[in-house]
Amino acid sequence: MLRMSRMRKFKRYKQFVMVWKVLAICYISVFTLGYLASGTGAYFVSSQENEQVIQAGTWWDGSELAFVGKPTVDEKACPAMNVSVELKNKGFSMTGTTTYEVFFSETGNPQKTGKKVASGEIKTLEKGEKVSLTYTAEKEGFYVFKALQHPLYGEETEKPLEVWSKKVNAKCKEKKVKEESDKEVEQKKDEDISTEDNKKEESNNTTDDRQEKTKPETEKATVEEEKDTSSTEENIQETDASEAESEEQEVKEEKQTEKQTEKQPEKKQQEQSDGTDKQSTGTKEEEGE
């Protein structure tokens, strides 16, 4: 009896185990079929994409590039002038390289109207590290550099992906010196012309003031001159009258002298005749005696 009960219990246990195994197998099979039908393909695709993302380096490494200082131009090396700018990593160390471009325009702002004339690669920069970017310019004009940030920099920081340097005017030193000297000459000419114009204006103003001042004086002088002329005319008339009187007196005196001269020989003749008479009378008396 005891053996029979034990056998029954063992058989029941085996049946329970078998049922549990069947249920487990069914559950696992259903779970695996559902997983394979829905999410397995997506899982493998996403894993492959993640692997590609990591290999391409499009996750942001925390770097931040910025141009520092002023651009420089080697003006002595004409006609090929070296234009240089300095780039600094203000963020974390870079995990990959990036690129830069150079734009040129003869006038205006090359950032807006310039043409791309060169491009290059920026090496991986550590935190706070600087690098100098140089371009050999063969034409005179304006140049500007553009550096590209990490591809996800804009998404993480909401800032533009590119950073621009200040524009620089590349000119040959000799031409620059000539232009400056020409400008100085023109400025001197303009200054001389302005000074001459000022002098003329001052002289005109002074002459006008003098004329205004001398007007009453001239009027007085004209009046005095008129008076003087009238007085001189009166004096001339008086002198003419006095001269005429003096001439008349001289004529009268000459006439008187002529009359006297005419009378003198008559007197002499009378005297002579009287003398002769007296002599004759004397001689007669002598003879009578």
Side-chain angles (χ1 to χ4, degrees), residues 3 64 148 171 209 212:
R3 287 180 178 176
E64 184 179 0
L148 298 178
K171 275 190 177 181
D209 294 332
E212 290 179 355

Side-chain angles (χ1 to χ4, degrees), residues 201-217:
E201 288 179 357
E202 290 177 357
S203 63
N204 291 325
N205 292 324
T206 52
T207 52
D208 293 334
D209 294 332
R210 288 178 181 176
Q211 288 177 357
E212 290 179 355
K213 290 180 181 179
T214 54
K215 276 182 181 180
E217 294 179 356

Side-chain angles (χ1 to χ4, degrees), residues 277-289:
D277 292 333
K278 285 179 180 180
Q279 289 178 358
S280 62
T281 52
T283 51
K284 286 179 178 181
E285 287 176 358
E286 290 176 355
E287 290 176 356
E289 292 177 357

Side-chain angles (χ1 to χ4, degrees), residues 53-98:
V53 167
I54 292 169
Q55 290 175 2
T58 55
W59 58 280
W60 185 41
D61 54 9
S63 62
E64 184 179 0
L65 301 176
F67 288 100
V68 293
K70 293 181 179 180
T72 59
V73 181
D74 187 8
E75 297 174 347
K76 295 180 180 179
C78 292
M81 297 168 287
N82 293 325
V83 182
S84 301
V85 293
E86 197 171 31
L87 187 69
K88 182 180 180 181
N89 181 14
K90 293 183 177 180
F92 295 98
S93 298
M94 297 171 61
T95 58
T97 61
T98 183

Side-chain angles (χ1 to χ4, degrees), residues 7-275:
M7 288 295 288
R8 286 176 182 175
K9 287 181 180 179
F10 184 72
K11 286 180 181 179
R12 288 178 181 176
Y13 180 73
K14 280 186 176 181
Q15 290 176 357
F16 179 76
V17 171
M18 288 295 290
V19 172
W20 184 80
K21 286 181 178 180
V22 170
L23 291 173
I25 291 168
C26 291
Y27 180 77
I28 291 169
S29 62
V30 171
F31 179 77
T32 53
L33 287 171
Y35 186 78
L36 291 171
S38 62
T40 305
Y43 175 77
F44 284 108
V45 171
S46 64
S47 65
Q48 289 176 1
E49 288 178 356
N50 287 331
E51 288 178 357
Q52 290 177 359
V53 167
I54 292 169
Q55 290 175 2
T58 55
W59 58 280
W60 185 41
D61 54 9
S63 62
E64 184 179 0
L65 301 176
F67 288 100
V68 293
K70 293 181 179 180
T72 59
V73 181
D74 187 8
E75 297 174 347
K76 295 180 180 179
C78 292
M81 297 168 287
N82 293 325
V83 182
S84 301
V85 293
E86 197 171 31
L87 187 69
K88 182 180 180 181
N89 181 14
K90 293 183 177 180
F92 295 98
S93 298
M94 297 171 61
T95 58
T97 61
T98 183
T99 58
Y100 73 92
E101 297 174 348
V102 184
F103 291 84
F104 165 77
S105 65
E106 293 182 355
T107 58
N109 189 359
Q111 184 176 346
K112 296 179 180 179
T113 60
K115 295 181 180 179
K116 187 173 78 171
V117 293
S119 62
E121 187 180 46
I122 301 171
K123 67 176 185 177
T124 56
L125 300 176
E126 299 293 330
K127 182 179 179 180
E129 187 180 358
K130 296 179 182 179
V131 65
S132 180
L133 306 178
T134 303
Y135 172 72
T136 303
E138 296 180 355
K139 293 182 180 180
E140 293 184 349
F142 295 93
Y143 292 87
V144 68
F145 287 73
K146 181 181 79 172
L148 298 178
Q149 301 278 9
H150 194 277
L152 293 178
Y153 175 82
E155 295 180 3
E156 297 290 337
T157 60
E158 295 181 355
K159 294 180 181 179
L161 290 174
E162 67 272 0
V163 58
W164 295 84
S165 70
K166 295 180 180 178
K167 69 176 182 179
V168 59
N169 188 7
K171 275 190 177 181
C172 187
K173 189 174 182 181
E174 295 177 356
K175 292 182 179 180
K176 197 172 183 180
V177 170
K178 287 181 181 179
E179 289 180 356
E180 289 178 355
S181 62
D182 293 335
K183 286 182 181 178
E184 289 178 356
V185 172
E186 289 178 357
Q187 287 178 356
K188 287 182 180 179
K189 287 181 180 180
D190 294 333
E191 289 177 357
D192 295 333
I193 291 167
S194 61
T195 52
E196 289 178 358
D197 294 333
N198 292 324
K199 286 180 181 179
K200 288 180 181 179
E201 288 179 357
E202 290 177 357
S203 63
N204 291 325
N205 292 324
T206 52
T207 52
D208 293 334
D209 294 332
R210 288 178 181 176
Q211 288 177 357
E212 290 179 355
K213 290 180 181 179
T214 54
K215 276 182 181 180
E217 294 179 356
T218 52
E219 290 177 355
K220 290 180 182 179
T222 53
V223 173
E224 291 178 355
E225 286 178 356
E226 289 177 355
K227 290 180 180 179
D228 293 332
T229 51
S230 61
S231 61
T232 51
E233 287 177 354
E234 290 177 355
N235 293 324
I236 290 166
Q237 290 176 358
E238 289 177 356
T239 51
D240 292 334
S242 61
E243 287 178 356
E245 290 178 355
S246 61
E247 287 178 354
E248 289 178 354
Q249 287 179 359
E250 288 178 356
V251 169
K252 289 179 179 180
E253 288 177 357
E254 287 178 355
K255 288 180 179 181
Q256 288 177 359
T257 51
E258 288 177 356
K259 288 179 180 180
Q260 289 177 359
T261 50
E262 289 176 353
K263 289 179 180 180
Q264 283 179 358
E266 290 178 356
K267 287 180 180 181
K268 287 179 179 181
Q269 289 177 359
Q270 287 178 358
E271 289 177 355
Q272 289 177 359
S273 62
D274 292 333

